């Protein structure tokens, strides 16, 4: 329990180190690769145990706000990214990858990151699920419209697989909450945060499978892709924070976190067989800022949140 509490208390730092573990130990990353799917499902269950369900229901009763966020995440962000790249052109695979990144829904793990940073986990979870469910509809249309790229997505099959994961996670979390009691999980919030960090650490190591070899084979491409990822992620976050600051700093920062940390793993299954490997490479390298920026920006998040609380007092 102490170890889990320690991991939960130092979550962003541990995740920061996790990426480098995957790069430094490629054999371990390869060994952990099959755990990516189970890690995502487990993370969703732990997040549902950690977040307050009443807060999620409260957001579901605000369809206007949810619709506005869906439009921002799934339409405005990719169109704005495409517009910027039209003025600042780069390698075509990189342009395709950046637009697809902006069009992707937030990673479901963003809820866990939001909780670790003291942000609105309930909003992140509700919007993450809503955006993910819309992905089979919005992303293929945007890809064809903006990029002329036809994604091979079976909407029915994709939605069915996704529904099984989400509904299964909700059912298991509901059962555990009923058996142990909501208070039991509230009293062990620090340990739950530690479990979340542990699962995300496994994912961080596994997602780096194959990246180390590419770094040595094509260092110049890897360097450019990493630079692009570290520019695009925070720019998407800043744009969202500024656009939704009127919702209050905590909510605006949560929306920013969702906008920059996109679930490109979902798109890998939709890419056609002839898809450029460099697009896939960017999807892997774009995980770096997802795991490193929360640690680097933790003091900023805390300062902003404390200043808001101070003003309220």
């Amino acid at each position: 329990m102490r170890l889990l509490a320690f991991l939960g208390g130092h979550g962003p730092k541990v995740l920061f180190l996790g990426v480098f573990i995957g790069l430094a130990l490629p054999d371990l990353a390869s060994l952990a690769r099959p755990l990516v799917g189970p890690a995502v499902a487990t993370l969703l269950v732990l997040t549902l145990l950690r977040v307050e369900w009443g807060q999620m229901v409260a957001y579901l009763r605000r369809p206007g706000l949810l619709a506005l966020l869906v439009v921002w995440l799934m339409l405005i962000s990719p169109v704005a990214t495409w517009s910027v790249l039209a003025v600042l052109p780069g390698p075509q695979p990189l342009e395709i990858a950046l637009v697809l990144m902006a069009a992707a829904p937030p990673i479901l793990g963003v809820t866990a990151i939001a909780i670790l940073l003291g942000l609105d986990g309930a909003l992140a979870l509700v919007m993450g699920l809503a955006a993910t469910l819309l992905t089979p509809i919005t992303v293929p249309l945007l890809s064809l419209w903006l990029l002329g790229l036809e994604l091979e997505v079976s909407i029915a099959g994709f939605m069915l697989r996704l529904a099984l994961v989400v509904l299964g996670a909700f059912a298991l979390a509901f059962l555990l909450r009923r058996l142990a009691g909501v208070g039991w999980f509230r009293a062990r919030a620090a340990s739950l945060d530690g479990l979340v960090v542990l699962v995300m650490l496994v994912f961080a190591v596994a997602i780096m499978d194959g990246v180390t070899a590419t770094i040595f084979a094509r260092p110049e491409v890897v360097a450019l892709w990493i630079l692009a990822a570290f520019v695009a992620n925070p720019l998407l976050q800043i744009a969202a924070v500024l656009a939704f600051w009127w919702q209050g700093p905590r909510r605006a920062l949560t929306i920013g976190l969702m906008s920059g940390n996109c679930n490109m793993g979902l798109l890998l299954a939709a890419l056609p067989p002839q898809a450029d490997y460099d697009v896939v490479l960017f999807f892997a390298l774009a995980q770096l800022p997802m795991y490193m920026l929360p640690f680097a920006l933790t003091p900023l998040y805390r300062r902003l949140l404390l200043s808001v609380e101070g003003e309220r007092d």
Side-chain angles (χ1 to χ4, degrees):
M1 297 296 285
R2 289 181 179 178
L3 175 60
L4 291 177
F6 174 83
L7 291 175
H10 299 80
K13 186 183 300 184
V14 174
L15 297 178
F16 181 95
L17 296 174
V19 174
F20 291 101
I21 294 174
L23 291 174
L25 302 173
D27 290 340
L28 179 62
S30 179
L31 186 65
R33 183 68 181 185
L35 299 177
V36 169
V40 171
T42 302
L43 185 62
L44 183 54
V45 173
L46 292 173
T47 301
L48 288 168
L49 293 175
R50 181 66 172 85
V51 75
E52 293 292 339
W53 288 32
Q55 294 177 7
M56 290 193 297
V57 173
Y59 278 117
L60 291 175
R61 292 172 178 168
R62 302 184 61 184
L65 176 61
L66 296 184
L68 181 60
L69 291 178
V70 165
V71 171
W72 174 270
L73 291 170
M74 310 301 287
L75 179 61
I76 295 178
S77 286
V79 171
T81 301
W82 175 82
S83 301
V84 171
L85 292 173
V87 180
L88 301 172
Q92 186 180 28
L94 182 59
E95 292 184 17
I96 292 174
L98 286 169
V99 173
L100 289 177
M101 169 186 168
I107 57 172
L108 293 180
V110 76
T111 303
I113 297 175
I115 292 173
L116 293 174
L117 293 174
L119 301 181
D120 194 335
L123 175 60
L125 182 58
V126 170
M127 279 311 306
L129 291 174
T132 300
L133 290 172
L134 290 172
T135 298
I137 301 172
T138 60
V139 173
L141 293 176
L142 284 170
S143 301
L144 185 61
W145 173 38
L146 299 177
L147 303 171
L149 181 66
E150 294 189 20
L151 297 184
E152 298 179 352
V153 178
S154 170
I155 295 179
F158 185 94
M159 294 286 280
L160 177 60
R161 291 193 300 272
L162 194 60
L164 289 175
V165 173
V166 173
L167 293 178
F170 267 96
L172 180 56
F174 177 79
L175 178 62
L176 292 174
R177 287 165 66 95
R178 288 297 299 268
L179 291 175
V182 176
W184 191 88
F185 289 106
R186 285 177 181 165
R188 291 160 178 80
S191 297
L192 279 176
D193 288 344
L195 282 173
V196 165
V197 171
L198 190 61
V199 174
M200 293 189 71
L201 181 63
V202 171
F203 183 87
V205 172
I207 203 68
M208 290 298 110
D209 180 33
V211 174
T212 302
T214 307
I215 291 176
F216 287 105
R218 305 168 66 198
E220 67 288 344
V221 173
V222 170
L224 179 58
W225 268 220
I226 291 176
L227 175 63
F230 272 94
V231 171
N233 185 306
L235 283 182
L236 287 170
Q237 292 197 48
I238 292 170
V241 170
L242 294 176
F244 288 93
W245 192 256
W246 57 278
Q247 283 284 322
R250 186 166 180 261
R251 192 171 291 167
L253 290 170
T254 304
I255 298 168
L257 192 69
M258 290 188 288
S259 297
N261 294 280
C262 309
N263 194 345
M264 289 159 283
L266 283 177
L267 303 186
L268 288 176
L271 288 173
Q274 67 273 18
D276 195 322
Y277 171 75
D278 285 347
V279 175
V280 178
L281 176 64
F282 178 84
F283 286 175
L285 293 172
Q287 308 299 314
L288 295 175
M290 291 186 193
Y291 281 85
M292 297 172 71
L293 288 180
F295 167 71
L297 298 177
T298 295
L300 176 61
Y301 282 113
R302 290 176 178 171
R303 189 177 299 113
L304 288 172
L305 294 175
L306 284 174
S307 65
V308 173
E309 292 176 358
E311 292 175 1
R312 289 176 179 172
D313 294 339

